[in-house]
Amino acid sequence: CPSAVPARRPAAAARAAAMPADAGPGVAKWVPLDPAPVLERIRFDDKGLVPAIAQQHDTGEVLMLAWMTAESISETLTSGRVVYYSRSRKALWRKGDTSGQTQRLVAFRWDCDRDAVLVQVDQAGVACHTGRRSCFYFEAEKEGVKEVLEVETEPEVLYGTVAK
């Protein structure tokens, strides 16, 4: 990566400060962005995918890793609702369609190599299909592996297989 850039107010924060705050507590309404200049800069793999890290915008908590395509990035940037690509279903995955646990876009960034993206989001509920806040709940320790996050919502409740 190039040398550090002097600290300055992030563009997303400046945009958010100028927008009406009706998208939820602490999150400004999304202003649609033109995806073309972003898509020109992202380096997709040979399957048309790029890894996407989802991070809670106000705490820095890493929530999950998923995949995006040009189509999912375009929809995300224009709608403000985060859309991924499901490799198993081979289709767009609009986060929260099944579980109700949506992600609203706050900022969209990419790394210096342009082959990974960071979506800073406002996560409604849990991010992981296991019912945990984050998918990163295993931790390596001297004694072995430990689960560091508790289940907040049973998966059966999230996906409608038992009464809520």
Side-chain angles (χ1 to χ4, degrees):
C1 290
S3 61
V5 176
R8 60 189 165 98
R9 187 173 184 193
R15 262 197 339 267
M19 294 183 276
D22 61 356
V27 179
K29 182 179 178 186
W30 182 252
V31 174
L33 299 177
D34 177 5
V38 174
L39 294 173
E40 291 171 1
R41 289 167 175 82
I42 302 295
R43 290 181 27 195
F44 296 92
D45 69 13
D46 58 353
K47 295 177 183 168
L49 302 172
V50 63
I53 300 164
Q55 178 185 47
Q56 178 64 31
H57 75 99
D58 53 352
T59 65
E61 178 183 21
V62 175
L63 300 170
M64 57 184 277
L65 171 72
W67 296 89
M68 297 182 99
T69 61
E71 183 180 7
S72 68
I73 290 172
S74 292
E75 188 173 326
T76 296
L77 292 174
T78 56
S79 73
R81 180 173 175 198
V82 181
V83 179
Y84 299 106
Y85 181 79
S86 169
R87 295 179 301 163
S88 60
R89 292 187 299 257
K90 298 188 183 342
L92 291 183
W93 163 31
R94 290 168 184 85
K95 182 75 173 143
D97 272 359
T98 305
S99 67
Q101 313 295 295
T102 59
Q103 293 177 343
R104 301 219 17 99
L105 185 63
V106 175
F108 188 93
R109 298 179 179 181
W110 52 94
D111 73 336
C112 56
D113 293 326
R114 302 179 298 135
D115 61 358
V117 300
L118 174 68
V119 286
Q120 293 181 315
V121 304
D122 185 37
Q123 173 70 47
V126 298
C128 186
H129 73 282
T130 66
R132 291 172 176 85
R133 175 75 177 162
S134 169
C135 294
F136 294 92
Y137 60 90
F138 291 110
E139 186 172 310
E141 294 186 336
K142 181 179 177 184
E143 296 79 28
V145 177
K146 178 180 177 183
E147 289 187 17
V148 295
L149 296 177
E150 299 291 323
V151 172
E152 294 180 20
T153 306
E154 291 298 326
E156 295 83 8
V157 173
L158 289 173
Y159 300 104
T161 56
V162 297
K164 292 183 179 181

